[in-house]
Amino acid sequence: MVSMPTLPLVGATPGHICPFDQACSYLEAAAKELSLDQGILEILSHPRRVVTVSIPVKLDNGDIRVLAGHRVQHSDILGPYKGGTRYHPAVTVNEVSALAMLMTWKCALLGIPYGGAKGGIAIDPQNYSVSELERITRRYTSELIKDIGPALDIPAPDVGTSAREMAWMMDTYSMNVGHAVPGVVTGKPLSVGGSRGREMATGRGVMIIVREALADLGKSLDGVRVVIQGFGNVGGAAAELLYQAGAKIIAVSTAEGGIFANDGLDIPALKAYAAENHKSIVGFPQSEPIKNAELLTLSCDVLIPAALENQITEENVDQIQAQIVAEAANGPVTLEANRVLEARGVTVLPDILANAGGVVVSYLEWVQGLSYLFWDEERVNREMEHLMVQAYRQVMQQSKMRQVPLRLAAYTLGVGRVAQALSDRGLYP
Ligand code: GLU
């Protein structure tokens, strides 16, 4: 199979791991496994639209700064574009394009009627005041007014954003079109049409997939030793739910550093400590400080990278001791490291399955909004669990049938469904 050239549309960062190339490599592997038509592969290797806008913002001190905002719409073959909005200094068009492609496969794998997209602004939100962030978010939304909408492209939270930014986006969109449009974003606060269970959803999904994978190995969550990189929206929720289910969380970290406790951390106490200390966990009583690099290589049963991409690389993969790696972040394991882990027989639960709980509850939020009927948390969690377990079983079955690792199995399902829809719809004109 011919390898796709990197698209000029998407750009690249010389000398760095190229996220879009990595995403295309997984797509190509799936295409080969499925014996996909070369033309279909070519279409799926290109994002449909790449939008970059200028965001001029007046800072609190009166200075004006111009930021770049991106939204990449990879595919809408199965339904409206869907995916988060990331605020992080490392955001590039290339990264956002890779993440948009992942969203396409993730939604298809979970059987939810969406395509894939991703947006982002290359800022460290910690360097901006709340009112500056509000102005940035509103201007970004306003610049994208023709590109987003409840039947077109539906943003959601991602790294560096939360329900607060979604409320600003929903309000800006609504003010521009002249009426309230809650369905333009998901992950909103409950007060404006958010769903119960959305905040914990990605972490809950991770817990469910880890639980299922352990069950297949004849184990339960009770007493299992878990290491989590990241203690934000995803890592924090996963830690809490795994702790409640009896797992021993022996180490967690944030960008500032990590903590370790051989007998397991008291996660509810740690959450309270982080809330009092501006999200910092370092210095938590009855724990030892640990560097992020050491944390990844601790001896444990389950390692959950829940921060950013490219954390497990050729450099540290040989020291990884976990039996299960659950990708709560998007793309935390590089292509080469993935090969090594799979060859060693480590169970790698791929991002498009392991972290899909967030977009699943986004979908449930959108459905509730469209039907003007809101459910209690128990129902939301039940519906989400059903979709997650169903996708997990399909991936396991596909893996056995094709004799391939779980990531390739998940990709063949996701890519296969999009390719099928593409050939049924046909090429326009
Ligand atoms: N940002 C999350 C993800 O990567 C959620 C996306 C969404 O809910 O649309 O899956």
Side-chain angles (χ1 to χ4, degrees):
M1 183 148 304
V2 199
S3 161
M4 293 292 136
T6 301
L7 287 162
L9 216 53
V10 158
T13 325
H16 285 77
I17 297 168
C18 177
F20 192 74
D21 279 356
Q22 289 209 114
C24 284
S25 296
Y26 288 134
L27 165 61
E28 282 165 34
K32 192 170 169 196
E33 182 65 31
L34 292 163
S35 307
L36 265 199
D37 176 79
Q38 180 69 19
I40 299 240
L41 169 60
E42 191 126 6
I43 294 173
L44 297 178
S45 304
H46 293 69
R48 180 147 176 229
R49 300 185 71 228
V50 177
V51 183
T52 295
V53 296
S54 289
I55 307 167
V57 56
K58 191 174 250 169
L59 304 178
D60 292 343
N61 67 6
D63 288 355
I64 288 176
R65 190 172 290 170
V66 183
L67 308 168
H70 312 289
R71 184 82 187 162
V72 176
Q73 298 172 331
H74 173 256
S75 163
D76 69 343
I77 311 264
L78 292 178
Y81 300 107
K82 186 82 191 84
T85 302
R86 176 172 293 204
Y87 290 177
H88 189 275
V91 162
T92 60
V93 177
N94 190 292
E95 183 203 45
V96 174
S97 303
L99 295 168
M101 186 190 270
L102 283 197
M103 288 308 301
T104 302
W105 318 137
K106 193 185 297 184
C107 293
L109 173 62
L110 269 292
I112 57 181
Y114 286 139
K118 200 75 153 202
I121 307 177
I123 51 167
D124 182 348
Q126 305 228 25
N127 295 342
Y128 292 85
S129 68
V130 172
S131 57
E132 287 168 342
L133 286 171
E134 178 169 354
R135 289 196 289 281
I136 293 168
T137 305
R138 286 185 181 279
R139 183 63 189 251
Y140 172 65
T141 310
S142 182
E143 292 294 335
L144 291 176
I145 211 79
K146 292 201 172 71
D147 302 297
I148 59 174
L152 174 58
D153 183 353
I154 308 149
D158 196 80
V159 175
T161 60
S162 64
R164 180 184 67 180
E165 284 74 15
M166 294 309 111
W168 293 332
M169 289 183 93
M170 178 269 182
D171 184 68
T172 307
Y173 185 86
S174 301
M175 296 311 282
N176 271 271
V177 300
H179 56 97
V181 189
V184 66
V185 288
T186 58
K188 299 178 291 290
L190 281 182
S191 60
V192 286
S195 174
R196 292 186 196 284
R198 176 62 184 85
E199 225 158 61
M200 299 283 281
T202 312
R204 182 176 296 279
V206 171
M207 180 274 288
I208 291 168
I209 297 298
V210 169
R211 184 195 68 203
E212 295 298 303
L214 284 167
D216 275 345
L217 297 170
K219 295 183 184 172
S220 80
L221 282 172
D222 198 30
V224 86
R225 290 168 73 78
V226 180
V227 168
I228 306 181
Q229 184 199 36
F231 201 63
N233 294 346
V234 179
E240 192 174 330
L241 294 165
L242 287 162
Y243 175 88
Q244 280 168 15
K248 264 196 173 70
I249 318 296
I250 59 165
V252 298
S253 66
T254 64
E256 286 173 6
I259 53 171
F260 169 75
N262 198 32
D263 293 333
L265 294 155
D266 179 342
I267 298 297
L270 180 60
K271 281 212 137 175
Y273 179 87
E276 280 163 24
N277 291 279
H278 307 286
K279 298 192 182 163
S280 175
I281 56 171
V282 180
F284 180 63
Q286 277 142 31
S287 75
E288 293 164 37
I290 184 168
K291 293 207 178 75
N292 235 316
E294 292 169 71
L295 173 132
L296 292 171
T297 59
L298 282 171
S299 161
C300 62
D301 301 301
V302 183
L303 172 62
I304 305 182
L308 288 168
E309 299 93 274
N310 303 333
Q311 300 301 303
I312 302 176
T313 65
E314 267 178 308
E315 257 129 68
N316 61 6
V317 67
D318 290 332
Q319 286 109 59
I320 301 292
Q321 302 189 54
Q323 285 156 6
I324 294 178
V325 174
E327 294 187 327
N330 287 311
V333 179
T334 65
L335 201 68
E336 291 75 19
N338 183 62
R339 256 181 226 131
V340 176
L341 290 177
E342 285 177 354
R344 259 175 44 200
V346 174
T347 303
V348 182
L349 298 166
D351 44 13
I352 60 171
L353 173 66
N355 71 29
V359 75
V360 166
V361 178
S362 275
Y363 165 62
L364 299 175
E365 173 177 332
W366 185 73
V367 166
Q368 291 170 77
L370 292 178
S371 58
Y372 303 96
L373 184 65
F374 286 85
W375 309 337
D376 60 22
E377 187 165 345
E378 197 258 312
R379 169 143 185 218
V380 174
N381 291 344
R382 185 165 24 97
E383 303 269 354
M384 185 262 256
E385 176 147 350
H386 169 71
L387 290 173
M388 293 296 288
V389 172
Q390 174 177 278
Y392 173 82
R393 298 220 170 110
Q394 289 172 354
V395 170
M396 290 309 280
Q397 193 199 20
Q398 186 81 352
S399 161
K400 285 197 187 102
M401 193 183 86
R402 293 186 180 272
Q403 298 284 304
V404 296
L406 299 182
R407 187 188 312 276
L408 185 51
Y411 266 74
T412 55
L413 284 168
V415 172
R417 286 172 188 165
V418 178
Q420 182 63 48
L422 179 56
S423 67
D424 289 346
R425 279 179 61 163
L427 194 57
Y428 176 85

